Amino acid sequence: MQAKKSLGQNFLINDTIIQKIVSLFVCDENDLIMEIGPGKGALTKYLAKLPAKVVCIEIDKDMERYLNYPDVEVIYDDILNIDLAKLVQNYNYHNLYIIGNLPYYITSPIIEKILKAGLNASKMVFMVQKEVAQRFSSGPGHREYGYMTIFINHYCEVKKEFLVPKNNFKPVPKVDSAIISLNLKNHPDLPEEFWQFLKECFSHKRKTLKNNLAKYDKAVVDEVLHSHNLDLAVRAEELAEEIFIELYEKCKGK
Ligand code: SAM
């Protein structure tokens, strides 16, 4: 069967790597594993051997013929359309683990959706593009630092596990990949309005932060930047999360 490029279908074909990914979970029969995008079952066939219950979400019904494993349930739907918090309520479990060689065209929306759903997962393991892994583990002042860096690091400790060169997939993608693991950390709840504000801060990469925030009171933005001894021409990628929170609160009069 032809892989569907539009669905990000690059299938992992190296068994040693597959087993290395699955071994990042230690689970028992009381646990639930959610796999995103099982495809032809590269990971699923090993997940099925674990004592935990496995539930997969796959958009492509054509994969049905590959995904017949005892005690593995497959939901054929777009993960972005599923109410994940409601879905996990259907199961009795102790720990939840989430895994997926993610379709790269929607890596960030999937991770955003999972983290905003408040699933309280014990561990998440994802395959992402190598560059995306770098972006997620970057810090202020680095070129790769952006909205998703702040978002993901607000919720999780991000660990780069290992690289997966592109020749381990069929068809061979254009870029190398990396495995990352995410462990939830204690984090203050921030309203959706904050995340929208943060997107505005990063909306034009080449513009200064002040220009991206032109619709807010200029004096308020200047005051916050001054109070942190920051140049008024600073760009968003130089600031840490706390300063964005302060800017948000002052710009929105909170
Ligand atoms: N896990 C398999 C592997 O490692 O070989 C396949 C990984 S492939 C990179 C991504 C998988 O995600 C494909 O099977 C694709 O059909 C599925 N997919 C793409 N978009 C999806 C979506 N919106 N919801 C659920 N699955 C999706």
Side-chain angles (χ1 to χ4, degrees):
M1 185 203 295
Q2 281 271 303
K4 300 182 178 91
K5 251 188 172 174
S6 63
L7 294 179
Q9 290 183 350
N10 296 99
F11 301 109
L12 190 52
I13 52 171
N14 181 325
D15 256 2
T16 311
I17 293 176
I18 295 169
Q19 290 181 61
K20 203 168 156 191
I21 300 171
V22 173
S23 73
L24 292 170
F25 287 148
V26 178
C27 60
D28 67 31
E29 67 281 1
N30 299 313
D31 297 335
L32 176 66
I33 299 176
M34 184 193 289
E35 186 189 358
I36 298 154
K40 294 183 179 175
L43 296 172
T44 326
K45 70 169 179 271
Y46 289 101
L47 296 175
K49 293 182 189 163
L50 298 177
K53 162 94 189 153
V54 180
V55 57
C56 303
I57 302 168
E58 169 58 61
I59 198 170
D60 187 358
K61 198 85 169 64
D62 287 346
M63 295 298 149
E64 200 167 10
R65 75 185 83 164
Y66 303 104
L67 294 172
N68 295 306
Y69 298 96
D71 219 21
V72 173
E73 185 182 338
V74 186
I75 297 166
Y76 291 95
D77 203 345
D78 181 342
I79 176 139
L80 299 180
N81 287 339
I82 293 181
D83 182 337
L84 296 174
K86 206 165 151 199
L87 173 70
V88 296
Q89 280 172 14
N90 294 333
Y91 306 93
N92 261 329
Y93 61 88
H94 184 203
N95 294 304
L96 170 67
Y97 297 97
I98 307 178
I99 187 167
N101 290 346
L102 297 181
Y104 293 165
Y105 72 108
I106 44 168
T107 298
S108 293
I110 291 176
I111 292 179
E112 271 194 87
K113 173 157 186 146
I114 290 171
L115 295 181
K116 284 182 181 171
L119 300 181
N120 204 17
S122 299
K123 185 169 183 174
M124 294 164 266
V125 171
F126 296 126
M127 171 103 74
V128 299
Q129 277 183 32
K130 189 175 95 182
E131 289 70 21
V132 171
Q134 269 152 3
R135 190 171 339 133
F136 288 172
S137 34
S138 161
H142 290 92
R143 201 171 40 88
E144 301 92 352
Y145 182 74
Y147 168 81
M148 268 313 279
T149 320
I150 298 174
F151 179 83
I152 202 166
N153 285 279
H154 175 76
Y155 286 92
C156 309
E157 304 286 353
V158 180
K159 184 170 174 209
K160 274 200 264 177
E161 297 286 354
F162 52 89
L163 291 179
V164 183
K166 57 187 174 191
N167 58 347
N168 291 291
F169 297 87
K170 202 171 166 195
V172 179
K174 287 200 176 75
V175 291
D176 293 325
S177 296
I179 294 291
I180 57 168
S181 60
L182 308 179
N183 284 296
L184 287 175
K185 62 186 185 193
N186 279 335
H187 57 270
D189 270 340
L190 289 170
E192 181 55 30
E193 194 187 30
F194 168 74
W195 298 114
Q196 294 312 317
F197 175 82
L198 188 63
K199 279 186 179 157
E200 288 173 1
C201 293
F202 283 96
S203 54
H204 297 96
K205 253 214 158 288
R206 288 170 170 277
K207 285 193 182 175
T208 63
L209 175 64
K210 265 183 77 173
N211 276 333
N212 282 335
L213 294 180
K215 72 180 201 199
Y216 298 98
D217 187 336
K218 186 171 159 296
V220 170
V221 177
D222 284 356
E223 185 204 308
V224 175
L225 296 181
H226 265 309
S227 71
H228 291 277
N229 294 321
L230 288 162
D231 192 309
L232 294 182
V234 72
R235 287 176 203 280
E237 60 260 31
E238 286 165 56
L239 305 194
E241 182 190 84
E242 306 77 68
I243 300 179
F244 289 111
I245 294 176
E246 191 177 332
L247 272 168
Y248 160 73
E249 287 170 347
K250 299 227 163 107
C251 284
K252 300 273 188 183
K254 305 275 172 192

